[in-house]
Structure formats: C-alpha cells, structure tokens
Amino acid sequence: AQTVTQSQPEMSVQEAETVTLSCTYDTSESDYYLFWYKQPPSRQMILVIRQEAYKQQNATENRFSVNFQKAAKSFSLKISDSQLGDAAMYFCAYRSAMGSSNTGKLIFGQGTTLQVKP
Amino acid sequence: SQTIHQWPATLVQPVGSPLSLECTVEGTSNPNLYWYRQAAGRGLQLLFYSVGIGQISSEVPQNLSASRPQDRQFILSSKKLLLSDSGFYLCAWGSGTGHEKLFFGSGTQLSVL
C-alpha cells in the first residue's frame, strides 16, 4: 500500500521569504500523480499544485513550485515571497494511475501547519 | 458548473446515538465519491469511496458505513456512535481520472460526547 509522509508538523516563515515543505512517499508503482492541497482556517480544501510522475519537469503555479525527485520519492513544495494568506495547513497527496487501482482516491500525508510572520 | 453540498456543518451527538451525514453533487454525472475524516490537527484519512451506485469500498475497519442510493448522493452512517468517531468529515467527488483534482465539500464537524 502507498503511504505519504510529511515529517514537519509545523513550519514558520517570515513574510516575503521563501519556505520549503517536505513530503516523501512510498510506492512500488511507476505511474502516479502527486498533489499539494492547502487547508486555511476555513477548512476548505484548495488545490495548490499537481505533478504527473511521468513528467521530469517540476510543476510551477505562480509563487508555488515543487521539487519532484522520483528516484528519492520526494515531492517538496516551495513557496516564494510568502504572504500572510499562505498561512494554512498543507497536505501532500498521492494518487495511483495504475489500471485496476485507478479509483481516483487520494492518499494524504499528515499535514504541515505553516505560520507566516509579518 | 459542478457543486458539492454537505450537511450539517456542525453536529453534537451523544455516545450510542445514530449518525447520518449527507453529501450531494450537482452538475456532473457518475462521479467518484469519497468520505474522508480529519482528526483534530491531523491528516485526512480515507474512509469510503464509491465508483457507482450501490458500490462502496471501505478503506479502514470502523464503526461507520456508507451508502450511495443515487448517482450523486453519498451518505455516511452509524448505528451507534463512539467517542472515537469525533472529527471533521469531508465529502469529495472526482472524475476518477489522472491528474484531475478532487472537489471537496465544506465539511461536518462531529463531536461525540
């Protein structure tokens, strides 16, 4: 079974600085998708960024980018120019792309709470 | 456009009482549906998912059950709640394909006392 691990329960960053959130996963599959979701205090789940495992190029979305290391099974999220609105809980998630396993379900890590200091 | 409705937003129930949480999706057909639970300050644990009417898969052994009586309706139930059932419950839907994201409801905070 696949697992996702986020080893940093809490992180803090100064406004306008850069922060990196770590995520590792365990899988024997070669084809899958990885996601970062944000959960602000409203508790609404918001997709931040996603990565297809077959793509070597790291995904970017404005101030958000990932460092995807397939061999190391690592998928970290970098937030540049941090803003107060970035304060939230961030979840890393895995989805299998294999035929019979393609139920679309996401497997989530335990989350990292990010504090942004003004 | 697609929307997902989940209710109630907050629920306080005594131990041993029954539970019924409902989730409905609009604007799409034959969605994959999911129930997740989030313990306080923790990650999301997948409880059930459904790829079609009447098709329910359970991810973890528990005191809860799920049903999908209609294409876009997903219900989470319990006959007798336990203290350990407390948590934040999220319903989600997705197309089941590849890189497509899951769309989440606004959640139900359940407190079992």
Side-chain angles (χ1 to χ4, degrees), chain A residues 39 43 50 95 103 106 110, chain B residues 34 36 42 98 100 109:
Chain A
Q39 187 184 44
R43 307 187 84 170
R50 54 191 154 191
R95 170 186 285 156
T103 60
L106 288 180
Q110 291 298 94
Chain B
Y34 310 88
Y36 284 89
R42 303 294 300 279
E100 293 298 320
Q109 180 62 52

Side-chain angles (χ1 to χ4, degrees), chain B residues 56-78:
Chain B
I56 308 294
S57 295
S58 174
E59 287 289 291
V60 293
Q62 60 199 299
N63 183 47
L64 303 168
S65 61
S67 61
R68 184 172 178 173
Q70 300 180 46
D71 181 44
R72 289 169 286 180
Q73 184 185 30
F74 205 24
I75 298 172
L76 184 68
S77 304
S78 174

